[in-house]
Amino acid sequence: MRMAKNSHTQLSSGYPHVNLRPAVQVMRLARLGSFHQSRLSFMRVLLRRLKTQNWTFDRPIWRIDDKGVGVATYRASGPERSYTLVAFAHDLPAEKRSDRVIADAWDATFALFDGEPTEEDIERLSKNVPLQEAGRVSESELSLSRANRSVRLFEYVIDRLSRGEQPELDVIEPVGYLMRTTAVYGSGKFGAADRDKWADRDEFVGSFQPELLSVWLTRSFTLDLVEHLARVRAPDTVVAMDKDIRRRFGVGNSTGLGMAPFLLNHPALIHSWISAREIALGRVRSQQIAAPDAVSKFRNLMARAHINAMDWGSAHPLQIEKIEALRNDFTLMVEHLKGDVFESELPWDALYRWADRTLSVEGQEQIVSLMIDAHAELVDDLPATMQANESELFTIDGMSSIGNLRREIEEHYGWTLSADFSNKEAIARVWYVSEEKLEPRLGERFEEPIEPYEQPLAPARDAAAVYHALEGWDEKDTVAEFLMKHPEHRHMVRRVQLVAFLPYAEIQDNTIAADMLPIDLLRCKLSFFGATKFDPRSDRWVRITMYQGAPYPEELSSMDPDDLAYPPLVTT
Amino acid sequence: MNWSLVEIRTLSMKAARGAGFSWGLAEEAGLAVRWLQARGMPGVQALAQYLEQCEMSGIDPDKCPLQNGAGVSDGASPEEGELGNIRTPLLLIPFVAQSLAVPSCRLQCGDQQFTISKDGYLFSGSAAQSLTAEAKCGFIHDGKVVPPTDRKSRVPDSDAVHVSTLAKFAHRTYAPATEESRMAGAGAGLSDND
């Protein structure tokens, strides 16, 4: 994979007024850990496309018994192809229910089948999908996932419906889902089809589209399952759930450290995501005047994002602090927007600059998402750029000079050169993979015997190490000569050269420092998915809600999925 | 049982790392195996064979197909010339292919000869013959047209024994599980069953 220089700035040609935010500002963990969903988020991109392409949906198989055990299939049919979620519902004893990746049984397990499965396919999947990592899927499957019931809501909703009553919103909202997925595997994992097989399909342009299709269909399954169990319990008194209440259920997700290294392991992909978002912001800020419909859209979405912030609960001290700051930011925004802020030249730029001076980082990134969301026509070409072909490695330019390499490190990793990596605090952590289910973990370098197993997830330290290893080399010597002598620096030299082309590819923080918060990495990725209600359960795992408020498959043709991404202004 | 190319690439990278190679060369090993397998050639078997060779007699950078292959790819080796004795030279092919500035070249490995293009290669011998354990290698540019090789998307069950060998090496990159790491390392502790 060789790249053209400045590929990210070319994307923004035609929008010359306001410079993009530099990587040194954007790529800090505290900011990445404050990102919010927007219309560039992958769930919203998926639903928008399924709607535009007039996809249809049905449930060919429902063989779930009175105990809630069995199989169901959900089919999505598009212009050229169809996909089928095969859902297995299990009878899981409460004591076995765990979201941890080390669990070995779940309430429900799923695979997204490429096409329409035969009975033989379903039989094959029934022997493998319930085992998850211990089973095998095939090239016919695009994803493998599982979900557990919410103890707080699952039984509550069955009980209410079976007694002829609707569940209450103030009970639903703090949780927001009936089941939460605990892993959604795609792209070749456990035998599933490689990304190469489907990457060029229209319906999957962007990132994580098959996985998120699977989660959206899973949401339908969770609602169908509670309604089924309520009907079984009390066929005479049961009621169907009100459609507006139904839509307040998303799918939960519980995400741990397994996701955190992703941002470091996929630099080109991360650049494509962040770059698209920054270009979107740059385009909005570059508008000479504020279009009236964009202003009214912005005001509407802001009021609804405010409701979302008020409903957003967390038990984690750091997140509580951030939510409180965000609520305060909304108060400031409401006050600020009472003035004639949209009358000036470059009004969106002025609004952004005001936010940058005035709001918390959480609030700044919220306003960025709202500004993007108010300008569909300016940004909707960008999701198609949010992908990267990673089936090849970035090719090292061995003929580049040591002088160049030095300058690239100084420019893109300059801050690491003054850091003291002999200080224990700076290298306190070790990313490693546990032999138990091959789960990525974070350990303490000076307290556990794990250093020999360290993963290459500390680019800050490693960039500084390359720089120091270059001492004594002549400016005109080549990178190839250096790497022949120092193969131990090969992974980092590759990274330095890649970042010179793709500036948003690198996190500008020390990922092994004692005070590093893995949840910042998780939040960044999950916001690009389109997650809401980010609720850290510790500094290294997090609950979120996906598709809360979104239309169900049967509603997609008559509703606007982007509008529904924010809570309604008036709740029942 | 068969494997996706993504699985095999990741496994190969971990295996090379587990056998003692740097992360950067391990990444190259993953890619090299993927490149070969995608073109129906025994990449998994080649890496398994090479890592076993390293296990028996240590890593010799001068004879290493990964280090020398990376050197070719980086341009540190002459465009035409002698590479000296290389172990499991089949592993050189992806590096040569990807760095080609001309339509094709001929890689001589002992008495075996491969004609390599950017997207495939020609070899008249058997798969077993392609897996020469060690041979004197050199290459020269060529104008011969090499038709693109048919692509494979899976690694077949017949490679199971070699996949197991790679898994054995890959396992060395995993830290033994302890209750301490299970709790602290993964960040559990709060009830996740609500």
Side-chain angles (χ1 to χ4, degrees), chain A residues 533-545:
Chain A
K533 303 273 173 71
F534 184 82
D535 178 17
R537 307 290 290 168
S538 77
D539 69 349
R540 50 190 76 182
W541 72 284
V542 63
R543 292 256 186 81
I544 51 153
T545 309

Side-chain angles (χ1 to χ4, degrees), chain B residues 49-193:
Chain B
Q49 170 181 304
Y50 177 56
L51 298 184
E52 293 283 23
Q53 286 175 313
C54 295
E55 185 81 343
M56 294 281 289
S57 46
I59 297 173
D60 180 346
D62 291 340
K63 293 183 175 179
C64 176
L66 303 175
Q67 176 81 52
N68 281 282
V72 170
S73 164
D74 293 347
S77 305
E79 288 199 0
E80 298 190 18
E82 296 297 317
L83 291 170
N85 269 9
I86 302 290
R87 290 175 179 165
T88 314
L90 187 70
L91 289 170
L92 281 174
I93 290 177
F95 297 98
V96 174
Q98 294 191 333
S99 60
L100 271 183
V102 292
S104 65
C105 82
R106 267 181 293 151
L107 179 67
Q108 192 75 38
C109 304
D111 54 6
Q112 311 289 345
Q113 185 176 301
F114 303 88
T115 307
I116 303 169
S117 72
K118 270 220 170 305
D119 202 35
Y121 70 93
L122 294 172
F123 177 61
S124 54
S126 65
Q129 286 170 321
S130 75
L131 285 159
T132 309
E134 183 173 329
K136 189 160 187 257
C137 296
F139 54 98
I140 54 168
H141 285 164
D142 197 342
K144 195 166 180 179
V145 175
V146 180
T149 312
D150 280 348
R151 294 304 185 94
K152 304 276 189 270
S153 61
R154 309 294 279 189
V155 172
D157 189 53
S158 54
D159 270 317
V161 61
H162 311 300
V163 170
S164 297
T165 301
L166 295 187
K168 176 189 79 178
F169 285 105
H171 192 265
R172 296 179 189 172
T173 65
Y174 308 139
T178 62
E179 187 54 34
E180 185 186 25
S181 81
R182 198 172 294 144
M183 293 304 288
L190 280 177
S191 165
D192 55 7
N193 189 15

Side-chain angles (χ1 to χ4, degrees), chain A residues 2 94 97-100 102 136-139 149-153 175 177 180 187-196 254 256-257 390-393 395-399 432-436 438-443 447-448 450 452-456 479-481 483-485 487-488 490-491 494 536-538 540-541 543, chain B residues 1-10 13-14 17 21-32 34-35 39 61 66-77 83 95 98-100 118 151-155 170-194:
Chain A
R2 296 188 193 270
R97 186 175 298 117
S98 168
D99 285 8
R100 296 290 309 284
I102 53 177
R136 292 290 293 176
V137 289
S138 78
E139 206 172 7
R149 296 175 180 181
S150 161
V151 169
R152 290 174 288 177
L153 282 193
V175 183
Y177 55 81
R180 58 181 175 269
S187 296
K189 303 268 173 57
F190 305 106
D194 280 328
R195 182 178 178 278
D196 285 358
S254 199
L257 278 178
E390 296 177 311
S391 61
E392 294 179 24
L393 276 177
T395 308
I396 291 173
D397 178 2
M399 291 298 96
Y432 67 99
V433 175
S434 162
E435 71 176 357
E436 190 174 45
L438 312 188
E439 184 188 32
R441 289 180 182 168
L442 190 60
E447 293 167 27
E448 301 171 68
I450 46 178
Y453 306 100
E454 182 164 16
Q455 295 281 309
V479 166
E481 291 165 317
L483 289 177
M484 271 306 219
K485 286 248 166 43
E488 72 275 18
R490 188 171 185 84
H491 74 282
R494 189 192 322 276
R537 307 290 290 168
S538 77
R540 50 190 76 182
W541 72 284
R543 292 256 186 81
Chain B
M1 176 120 164
N2 58 47
W3 293 269
S4 72
L5 295 178
V6 164
E7 285 179 294
I8 290 300
R9 176 180 174 179
T10 307
M13 180 182 75
K14 290 176 175 177
R17 176 65 182 169
F21 289 94
S22 72
W23 280 112
L25 284 177
E27 288 171 340
E28 306 281 3
L31 195 72
R34 186 190 197 284
W35 193 97
R39 288 156 185 81
L66 303 175
Q67 176 81 52
N68 281 282
V72 170
S73 164
D74 293 347
S77 305
L83 291 170
F95 297 98
Q98 294 191 333
S99 60
L100 271 183
K118 270 220 170 305
R151 294 304 185 94
K152 304 276 189 270
S153 61
R154 309 294 279 189
V155 172
H171 192 265
R172 296 179 189 172
T173 65
Y174 308 139
T178 62
E179 187 54 34
E180 185 186 25
S181 81
R182 198 172 294 144
M183 293 304 288
L190 280 177
S191 165
D192 55 7
N193 189 15
D194 61 357

Side-chain angles (χ1 to χ4, degrees), chain A residues 27-52:
Chain A
M27 299 306 292
R28 301 301 304 273
L29 280 174
R31 186 170 296 277
L32 298 173
S34 299
F35 276 13
H36 294 258
Q37 59 108 14
S38 74
R39 61 186 296 118
L40 305 179
S41 298
F42 309 138
M43 291 178 210
R44 292 175 60 181
V45 170
L46 174 72
L47 295 193
R48 217 154 56 225
R49 186 188 300 117
L50 295 178
K51 181 180 171 73
T52 309

Side-chain angles (χ1 to χ4, degrees), chain A residues 107-398:
Chain A
D107 283 316
T109 53
F110 311 89
L112 185 69
F113 189 88
D114 188 6
E116 297 177 22
T118 62
E119 285 295 333
E120 289 74 34
D121 289 318
I122 291 174
E123 176 66 17
R124 170 177 60 81
L125 293 173
S126 75
K127 292 179 178 144
N128 286 282
V129 172
L131 303 176
Q132 295 285 296
E133 295 96 334
R136 292 290 293 176
V137 289
S138 78
E139 206 172 7
S140 296
E141 283 79 50
L142 305 188
S143 75
L144 175 70
S145 58
R146 67 293 191 101
N148 280 333
R149 296 175 180 181
S150 161
V151 169
R152 290 174 288 177
L153 282 193
F154 201 87
E155 171 56 32
Y156 166 78
V157 173
I158 294 172
D159 180 60
R160 296 285 295 194
L161 294 178
S162 66
R163 289 198 279 117
E165 296 164 354
Q166 294 295 325
E168 292 174 288
L169 275 178
D170 59 358
V171 179
I172 299 171
E173 286 294 339
V175 183
Y177 55 81
L178 291 165
M179 281 193 178
R180 58 181 175 269
T181 55
T182 69
V184 183
Y185 297 112
S187 296
K189 303 268 173 57
F190 305 106
D194 280 328
R195 182 178 178 278
D196 285 358
K197 187 185 175 201
W198 48 259
D200 60 354
R201 299 182 187 178
D202 274 354
E203 58 268 31
F204 291 150
V205 170
S207 294
F208 290 101
Q209 299 293 286
E211 293 91 334
L212 292 170
L213 173 62
S214 135
V215 172
W216 188 52
L217 297 173
T218 294
R219 177 180 179 233
S220 291
F221 167 77
T222 68
L223 269 292
D224 288 356
L225 187 62
V226 287
E227 291 189 329
H228 169 80
L229 290 171
R231 211 175 302 118
V232 168
R233 185 173 299 177
D236 297 332
T237 54
V238 69
V239 288
M241 202 186 299
D242 181 275
K243 282 191 167 9
D244 288 332
I245 295 177
R246 216 170 185 265
R247 232 174 278 120
R248 297 314 300 161
F249 288 98
V251 176
N253 177 266
S254 199
T255 293
L257 278 178
M259 187 183 270
F262 184 91
L263 271 72
L264 292 154
N265 282 331
H266 300 271
L269 184 63
I270 296 313
H271 169 86
S272 79
W273 296 1
I274 307 275
S275 170
R277 189 168 180 273
E278 293 306 313
I279 289 169
L281 173 63
R283 289 178 181 180
V284 174
R285 289 173 63 190
S286 297
Q287 296 302 296
Q288 286 291 344
I289 57 162
D293 57 339
V295 171
S296 67
K297 181 90 181 161
F298 178 82
R299 288 185 188 278
N300 172 276
L301 294 180
M302 198 188 84
R304 293 162 63 187
H306 195 172
I307 294 171
N308 184 63
M310 300 311 287
D311 286 345
W312 185 352
S314 175
H316 195 272
L318 288 172
Q319 190 59 34
I320 290 172
E321 204 177 297
K322 289 176 76 171
I323 294 171
E324 280 171 3
L326 179 62
R327 289 172 183 162
N328 185 51
D329 289 339
F330 271 109
T331 308
L332 295 169
M333 277 189 250
V334 169
E335 197 56 38
H336 183 65
L337 289 173
K338 283 179 182 163
D340 55 356
V341 293
F342 293 109
E343 303 303 315
S344 64
E345 196 172 325
L346 294 173
W348 296 105
D349 183 50
L351 179 60
Y352 174 79
R353 287 172 189 277
W354 170 83
D356 191 45
R357 288 192 305 272
T358 317
L359 307 182
S360 70
V361 175
E362 182 87 45
Q364 291 169 27
E365 294 309 315
Q366 173 70 79
I367 216 168
V368 167
S369 283
L370 293 170
M371 283 165 62
I372 290 170
D373 275 5
H375 291 88
E377 70 292 347
L378 279 184
V379 303
D380 278 358
D381 61 318
L382 291 170
T385 67
M386 298 170 81
Q387 58 184 9
N389 178 2
E390 296 177 311
S391 61
E392 294 179 24
L393 276 177
F394 178 79
T395 308
I396 291 173
D397 178 2

